[in-house]
Amino acid sequence: SRIVIDPVEVTDFYQKNSGEFNEPEGRKVEALVFSEQAKALEVVDFLSKGWKIEEAAEKYSLTIEDFGIIRKGQSQKEVEDIIFGLQEGETSGSARIGERYYILKVKESVAPKQYSLLEVQDKIRDIIFENKMQEALVKWLEELKKKYYVELKQG
């Protein structure tokens, strides 16, 4: 209750750290997943003839997995290289990632976003509160050490 956060502090923090309140560009991605490369290549061939991923899923009894939005810097480099090399609506060839094979489709490109002060002010208040709380705790412990004999044991 003794920790007070002035609105000016929130604004100053936002202005000094505005780069922390953005999201890089992204792609909404869906995929077909295979355990065997031969099957993945067969589906790639089917898609190369102009068929849609939904038609391939139906024909080969596959489930289209929704990977949601993948943003730059938040996934494996090999995955990012593939999806950021595709245009909206395009599908990749067969890509081995880990133990499986994937055909990735970019459903939509998502522009980078800079969050406004209004959108992140509560988060900033929490960060400032935690910092002030940590400082107050250290100060309080130092005062206790001066007044009392305190033995701190590392555990």
Side-chain angles (χ1 to χ4, degrees):
S1 66
R2 294 181 186 170
I3 296 176
V4 179
I5 300 170
D6 189 315
V8 172
E9 290 178 276
V10 175
T11 303
D12 287 346
F13 187 94
Y14 178 79
Q15 290 172 345
K16 290 177 184 172
N17 301 285
S18 63
E20 293 182 31
F21 304 107
N22 64 28
E23 289 184 347
E25 79 174 289
R27 302 283 190 268
K28 285 187 181 177
V29 178
E30 60 186 11
L32 297 174
V33 184
F34 306 87
S35 55
E36 300 172 7
Q37 184 180 23
K39 189 72 156 182
L41 293 173
E42 184 179 338
V43 174
V44 167
D45 184 52
F46 179 78
L47 292 171
S48 71
K49 295 176 183 167
W51 295 96
K52 296 182 180 184
I53 198 168
E54 295 81 10
E55 295 166 323
E58 186 177 323
K59 177 178 167 111
Y60 293 95
S61 300
L62 300 167
T63 301
I64 299 173
E65 293 191 26
D66 184 2
F67 283 13
I69 297 174
I70 298 177
R71 296 200 178 268
K72 279 193 174 179
Q74 297 177 340
S75 188
Q76 297 173 331
K77 182 178 177 350
E78 60 187 333
V79 174
E80 287 184 9
D81 288 347
I82 294 168
I83 64 170
F84 287 98
L86 296 171
Q87 297 298 317
E88 215 170 279
E90 285 187 318
T91 56
S92 71
S94 172
R96 183 176 180 170
I97 303 168
E99 299 296 316
R100 297 184 176 258
Y101 298 88
Y102 296 82
I103 296 173
L104 303 166
K105 178 182 178 185
V106 173
K107 291 176 65 177
E108 182 182 335
S109 294
V110 180
K113 179 177 181 174
Q114 175 70 42
Y115 289 99
S116 70
L117 174 58
L118 188 60
E119 291 174 301
V120 295
Q121 67 184 358
D122 290 339
K123 183 177 180 179
I124 292 172
R125 244 189 233 104
D126 291 345
I127 292 169
I128 294 171
F129 178 83
E130 287 298 320
N131 290 341
K132 286 186 170 189
M133 180 68 151
Q134 189 65 33
E135 290 172 13
L137 181 61
V138 168
K139 185 178 176 182
W140 180 67
L141 287 174
E142 290 301 322
E143 288 175 15
L144 283 179
K145 287 179 188 178
K146 289 177 187 174
K147 291 181 183 180
Y148 304 101
Y149 174 74
V150 178
E151 182 179 343
L152 299 176
K153 293 187 177 186
Q154 300 278 330

